[in-house]
Amino acid sequence: MQIYTVGQVTTYARDLLDSNERLSDLWIKGEISNLYRSQAGHLYFTIKDAEGQLKCVLFKSEKPALTLENGMAVIVHGRLSIYELRGDLQVYVDLVQPEGVGVLHLAFEQLKNKLEKEGLFDKARKRPLPSFPKRIGVVTSPTSAAYRDIENIISRRYPLTTVILAPTLVQGDEAAPGIVRAIGELSDMEGIDLIIVARGGGSLEDLWAFNEEVVARTIYASRIPIISGVGHETDFTIADYVADMRAPTPSAAAEIAVPDRSELKKRIQFLRHAIESATTEGLEQRHDKLQYAFGKIKAPDLSRHRQRIDDIFRTTSRQAAGAITLMRSQLNSYSSQLSSLNPLGTLRRGYAIIQKAPAGKIITRTNDVRTGDRIVMQLSDGHIKGKVTGNNSDGQQGTLI
Amino acid sequence: MGNKEPSFEELLKQLENIATNLDTGGLPLVESLALFEEGMKLSKKCSELLDLAELKVEKLQDLFEQKE
């Protein structure tokens, strides 16, 4: 016989419960009673039905979506274990849903809860989307309105890109594996820089593939950033939470994926103007500088030259005055020489000019006249008339008068 | 054509850089005029790319279609 300590027994019982798979993943339906919030913020309550009751604890970290009240009919999810200090059997609750909610909804909440705890939804791990994607993979049904919308919007906004359609079913049992395969194929391709996973609106059942764990994990593991655009604005899927960006609809996903060409054209126009005005301004500044520099150069240089010009002018005018005086005295001496050549002066010294009368031809040789010609003799103060009485050229002694 | 052709994104980036450089100022005259000319060319090229582009669509094999 072996004797155990209390602790050994409670620990053994706890380990037994914890290792049981079914007891670790329980959905339990019942009514809340004895609700109590501890100072630390944890919630303690009992769920019961006609046949029995179970103690429950909901730790503050679980953040229930529902505000619990006594008497509320709920379905809780959690694991059954033992609180060793008290030896109490209790349910460690991680999820509380109102009773009457469908199984899919419960599964959704549970998976969401689980993946959130694993960090699949962490904001910090969301990757930035490319501003100008070159090749966009689109995972959706090729015949759907969702795909047509996406293609139209990308074509209108930013036709510089290439769309690679990775066709898949988006509803039914084959949808989830199809989506996983399509994302995988796009990931294996070269140069794809963005993936859109999309599906049009539908019921929770219709959209179910996007709530499957395998799809969520594939999106999480994708090396290429993913935008989800599933259902309508009000539909949230697990894929939306894991994706790098959640778009409310397929069309919105396309709008988020690419820039708008009319915005880009405005940007280009703006840059063009900025370049033009910056260049013009630069030229004007240079022009102003040049003018300023010119203004500075002129003043001192000219004054220096002016002084030099003054000097030169003074020197030359002095030289010119000397030259003029010299020339004037030379002129005087020339004019006195000239007056000595005047024939009147010669006549004054006793010479006469003889002219034939009445023609006035000046006689310089004896042959110019014959005996009997009348002549006029010009003297310094008048003239004397006479007659030739003889001529050497006649062999006669010439006689005057 | 081919991959050597700079992408729209690269051209726009160059255009942004030129605008920033000219706006900062302090460039030699010859250089700033060369940038101006380059900027005008780039903005024209960017606008043309946006105006003339047509969306290309490729389709991967549809496994479900093949089954039918």
Side-chain angles (χ1 to χ4, degrees), chain B residues 2-63:
Chain B
N3 294 334
K4 288 276 159 69
E5 199 95 340
S7 68
F8 174 80
E9 183 179 11
E10 286 158 350
L11 293 174
L12 185 65
K13 179 119 199 184
Q14 285 176 26
L15 187 60
E16 302 256 8
N17 285 342
I18 286 174
T20 311
N21 281 344
L22 282 174
D23 195 48
T24 311
L27 293 170
L29 182 62
V30 180
E31 213 170 298
S32 66
L33 288 180
L35 279 183
F36 169 77
E37 210 171 304
E38 180 71 12
M40 292 302 107
K41 250 190 268 174
L42 278 170
S43 68
K44 186 158 171 276
K45 177 89 182 156
C46 284
S47 299
E48 277 173 4
L49 279 177
L50 287 177
D51 288 336
L52 302 177
E54 269 182 54
L55 182 69
K56 288 190 280 293
V57 178
E58 295 168 17
K59 192 179 167 191
L60 302 185
Q61 208 183 37
D62 194 335
L63 292 183

Side-chain angles (χ1 to χ4, degrees), chain A residues 132 135 142 147 159-165 167 169 174 181 261 265 267-268 272 275 279 283 286, chain B residues 8-9 16 22 27-29 36 43 46 49-51 53-60 62-64 67:
Chain A
F132 301 92
R135 291 167 71 77
Y147 176 68
L160 292 166
T161 196
T162 301
V163 164
I164 294 100
L165 170 61
L169 291 181
E174 286 190 280
R181 183 186 51 78
R261 114 165 100 175
K265 289 185 85 167
R267 177 79 189 145
I268 291 164
R272 202 184 155 91
I275 288 170
T279 309
L283 285 178
R286 282 187 172 84
Chain B
F8 174 80
E9 183 179 11
E16 302 256 8
L22 282 174
L27 293 170
L29 182 62
F36 169 77
S43 68
C46 284
L49 279 177
L50 287 177
D51 288 336
E54 269 182 54
L55 182 69
K56 288 190 280 293
V57 178
E58 295 168 17
K59 192 179 167 191
L60 302 185
D62 194 335
L63 292 183
F64 300 102
K67 274 184 193 170

Side-chain angles (χ1 to χ4, degrees), chain A residues 102-116:
Chain A
V103 181
L104 280 182
H105 197 86
L106 293 176
F108 174 89
E109 287 299 331
Q110 192 200 356
L111 181 61
K112 183 179 159 228
N113 217 34
K114 176 173 143 186
L115 298 183
E116 186 166 21

